[in-house]
Amino acid sequence: MDRDRRTTLETWHSLDGKQLALDNGRGKLVTEEYGTGVTGADLAEAPVTPEEMIARIGASVDAIPVTEFDDADATRQQRIFRTISQLLGEQPLVADVRAALFRALPMIQGVAVKQDAIDAAGRHGVAFAYTGTWERFEIIVSAQDYQFLGTYGESVADRTFDLPGGATRTVKAGTPLVWSARMTAKVVDKAGDQP
């Protein structure tokens, strides 16, 4: 990741959290099956408590097998954290669910609060940070109203990946992996519509 280079990506997420649409880079809108296995509607069913959020998301994480695109070394706690990040960043959630998810984050073993985090747009906020075996990932929210601002992730240990053809690539500790900022989120009638 190059911290000096910015890429703007416009995505559309279905309200049920099961589809993602985006421009394929050639002006064509592509829709794909996508999701965390649990939706905002699932989480809105009573009781809406931090413990229930972790239980429901944990059950979803347990039911979804790790694929070749996942980090096979990720712990259950890390996968729950990542799912909460996806839910907060990609799905419209009712206030009670958002509040319960925020209260659930510090209950996840390995999560710490970082007081001054900066999203890719330069906005300051508070981050919930999870440090795994080889990466640290942050969910950055506004300190004033807890709106989702973005994410940041970096490697915390050297890691070597096998590439096709027998090649390898090493990612050094301290290498940024992701840095994002959600600038707007609006509900529209269909994928491709502008708010």
Side-chain angles (χ1 to χ4, degrees):
M1 185 192 87
D2 181 352
R3 287 181 183 228
D4 295 323
R5 194 176 117 227
R6 301 287 189 265
T7 301
T8 300
L9 181 64
E10 193 170 24
T11 61
W12 292 265
H13 299 267
S14 62
L15 286 176
D16 66 5
K18 296 179 181 177
Q19 291 186 324
L20 164 72
L22 58 112
D23 185 307
N24 69 355
R26 295 182 297 277
K28 181 177 184 211
L29 193 65
V30 176
T31 303
E32 302 204 3
E33 296 299 314
Y34 176 82
T36 62
V38 64
T39 68
D42 297 332
L43 297 176
E45 294 176 15
V48 180
T49 65
E51 295 81 6
E52 192 63 26
M53 298 298 102
I54 289 176
R56 291 179 193 170
I57 293 168
S60 173
V61 160
D62 294 342
I64 298 173
V66 175
T67 71
E68 63 183 300
F69 301 106
D70 295 321
D71 178 2
D73 297 329
T75 64
R76 183 177 191 267
Q77 301 298 317
Q78 188 171 357
R79 292 178 72 203
I80 290 171
F81 182 86
R82 286 181 183 165
T83 300
I84 291 174
S85 178
Q86 280 184 271
L87 288 163
L88 290 170
E90 300 170 358
Q91 286 193 28
L93 303 169
V94 295
D96 290 350
V97 170
R98 289 179 57 80
L101 288 172
F102 284 131
R103 289 193 311 271
L105 283 165
M107 296 169 61
I108 299 170
Q109 184 179 356
V111 171
V113 175
K114 180 179 176 183
Q115 291 301 322
D116 189 29
I118 303 171
D119 74 4
R123 298 174 297 184
H124 291 258
V126 174
F128 295 95
Y130 182 92
T131 303
T133 305
W134 74 276
E135 69 179 353
R136 184 182 74 248
F137 190 75
E138 300 175 1
I139 299 169
I140 306 167
V141 299
S142 165
Q144 287 74 37
D145 60 11
Y146 292 97
Q147 288 297 310
F148 179 87
L149 296 179
T151 61
Y152 178 77
E154 73 178 13
S155 60
V156 295
D158 292 357
R159 184 167 185 187
T160 301
F161 295 91
D162 293 325
L163 302 174
T168 61
R169 177 163 183 230
T170 299
V171 176
K172 298 287 188 187
T175 301
L177 303 171
V178 62
W179 197 20
S180 71
R182 182 175 73 187
M183 302 309 294
T184 60
K186 304 282 184 187
V187 176
V188 295
D189 290 332
K190 65 182 189 323
D193 283 357
Q194 298 297 315

